[in-house]
Amino acid sequence: MKTLLKILASASAALVTLPASHSLAQPSETELERQASQARSIERIQRDYASRTDDTASARSLARGPRIINGRPIANDAKNWEWTVSIQRRNNHSCGGALISPGYTASGKGVVWRDDDTEPVWVVTAAHCITELELNLIKRGELTAVSGDVSLARRDEFGKNRRLDSQKVIAAYLHPDYDPKTNANDIALLQLEELENPVSNRRRSIGIAQDTQQSWLYAPYTSLNVMGWGTTLEGGFLSETLQQVRVPFVEQAQCAGSYASASNMGMSAGMICAGFSSGGYDSCQGDSGGPLAYIPAPGVPSPTRSAVLAGVVSWGSGCARPNLFGVYTSALAYRGWMARTIRQAETRDTNN
Ligand code: ARG
């Protein structure tokens, strides 16, 4: 499969250069035949692939080169991804997550979610990411959160080891009403061990959606960003570099309606949707638990200047299929639960 990807990448690169070489000089008969046969072989690979995945659209997007379902890679020096973490089972990516840091108001009653670079030790993720296996790995110190770098590669281009910031998960708190059958309340918190000597200074936390932001944030067509190291096509491979894709918010009624008619999967309170009716752009397997964020665009008027966590990748029927939007756990709906859970855990820790 890896070689298939390589073949497709080089084949499509060759295809792209075709019109340019045409305009420079009339190609020879043999060159034309070579190009035609290359085009035929790409078509064949696409058909092969399509017959296996039953999805010609993703086979086509594969031919354009590997990307999160039609997203783009993020650069390390870009802004507004630094709260994204990779949750790893024994150094293998399994899910995404987002760094969060609650701060408490003087009265002790309120909570403000900080979005700064104090070393964060809490991650919000999806409850379905934390199975019996994860709970056992936590006991052995083998579940970690990797942060501060868009690349999960353990070696650099010269084959030398790279050091990644990796924090042990020391505790997991699943939402008490999480239901694996319906995916209701698909949210969990992970407490991380403090990082002794970080290699990256990029890590920071993201603020969580507040009531006062609801009217514009959770409104049809609000442009949101989802990011992760998940597969770049349905049934495809994980991505080594963090990918990001823009998806518009979709009203619950519309999303629930299309799921009700297309499958027996149901929406419940606390779930939100994002995506395009025509499909094509989405999160996918391995992106679960990762952030769906509102990110103000530079130079564009925005109700807020900093990024806001709107949701957590939860589920979908396939990936990027028409009318089957990506479903996310609403960050606003669980803001209170997150604050209470973290506060209880931290009070318990200081009393011990
Ligand atoms: N449940 C998936 C995971 O574990 C995420 C699926 C998201 N699907 C979608 N079509 N947006 O990684």
Side-chain angles (χ1 to χ4, degrees):
M1 286 300 268
K2 273 261 157 60
T3 42
L4 174 65
L5 271 176
K6 283 214 192 89
I7 295 168
L8 285 170
S10 58
S12 60
L15 247 201
V16 173
T17 60
L18 200 144
S21 63
H22 256 286
S23 60
L24 287 177
Q26 190 67 44
S28 67
E29 238 15 270
T30 46
E31 175 57 13
L32 283 176
E33 176 45 38
R34 196 187 60 78
Q35 287 172 354
S37 99
Q38 196 161 57
R40 278 195 303 274
S41 81
I42 293 173
E43 259 175 35
R44 185 180 45 73
I45 294 167
Q46 285 182 355
R47 263 199 316 276
D48 274 14
Y49 198 86
S51 66
R52 255 174 288 149
T53 61
D54 204 24
D55 191 342
T56 351
S58 46
R60 256 187 244 119
S61 73
L62 176 70
R64 282 200 298 268
R67 321 204 122 207
I68 197 188
I69 318 284
N70 286 314
R72 56 196 165 79
I74 306 180
N76 253 344
D77 55 7
K79 285 256 154 286
N80 289 314
W81 62 270
E82 307 94 324
W83 9 265
T84 312
V85 304
S86 158
I87 296 167
Q88 306 202 340
R89 304 170 164 170
R90 296 205 178 104
N91 297 336
N92 291 309
H93 172 88
S94 65
C95 267
L99 292 166
I100 55 172
S101 298
Y104 304 102
T105 54
S107 70
K109 284 237 165 68
V111 59
V112 285
W113 293 95
R114 303 190 345 212
D115 51 352
D116 56 27
D117 51 10
T118 50
E119 284 296 333
V121 292
W122 286 94
V123 166
V124 56
T125 186
H128 82 260
C129 289
I130 310 302
T131 65
E132 212 53 50
L133 173 66
E134 272 72 23
L135 297 176
N136 280 319
L137 289 174
I138 292 173
K139 285 188 205 133
R140 301 156 186 242
E142 291 175 340
L143 190 75
T144 54
V146 171
S147 62
D149 203 299
V150 293
S151 170
L152 299 181
R154 305 251 153 198
R155 288 174 188 278
D156 64 16
E157 68 258 56
F158 310 108
K160 286 199 14 203
N161 282 333
R162 295 173 73 223
R163 196 156 87 79
L164 290 172
D165 283 323
S166 177
Q167 288 167 278
K168 278 182 192 161
V169 176
I170 55 177
Y173 300 86
L174 275 73
H175 194 283
D177 301 322
Y178 165 59
D179 181 348
K181 286 198 253 359
T182 61
N183 271 317
N185 309 300
D186 189 11
I187 192 161
L189 289 165
L190 303 178
Q191 189 175 19
L192 309 181
E193 186 180 72
E194 258 163 73
L195 199 52
E196 291 293 319
N197 41 22
V199 281
S200 168
N201 56 6
R202 295 200 172 94
R203 196 178 12 269
R204 66 188 173 103
S205 40
I206 183 171
I208 289 175
Q210 329 175 10
D211 282 324
T212 53
Q213 298 168 327
Q214 177 160 27
S215 61
W216 57 267
L217 182 61
Y218 298 105
Y221 308 114
T222 294
S223 179
L224 301 170
N225 286 268
V226 56
M227 47 205 89
W229 290 273
T231 60
T232 49
L233 80 157
E234 200 179 312
F237 302 107
L238 295 175
S239 172
E240 199 170 62
T241 305
L242 185 61
Q243 304 278 317
Q244 154 169 344
V245 70
R246 277 183 174 275
V247 277
F249 180 90
V250 175
E251 225 156 13
Q252 227 215 28
Q254 184 189 350
C255 185
S258 53
Y259 268 111
S261 55
S263 64
N264 53 3
M265 295 197 261
M267 296 278 298
S268 49
M271 291 180 187
I272 56 170
C273 299
F276 295 88
S277 301
S278 50
Y281 304 84
D282 199 3
S283 46
C284 202
Q285 263 57 48
D287 290 322
S288 274
L292 175 72
Y294 171 81
I295 297 174
V300 179
S302 161
T304 166
R305 283 175 55 212
S306 37
V308 175
L309 185 70
V312 169
V313 181
S314 179
W315 61 276
S317 176
C319 302
R321 297 183 181 180
N323 285 312
L324 296 174
F325 305 99
V327 186
Y328 300 81
T329 311
S330 161
L332 179 61
Y334 297 93
R335 193 185 146 88
W337 174 77
M338 287 188 263
R340 279 194 305 278
T341 307
I342 294 179
R343 167 127 59 169
Q344 275 165 18
E346 289 184 341
T347 335
R348 216 171 24 242
D349 289 352
T350 47
N351 290 346
N352 277 342

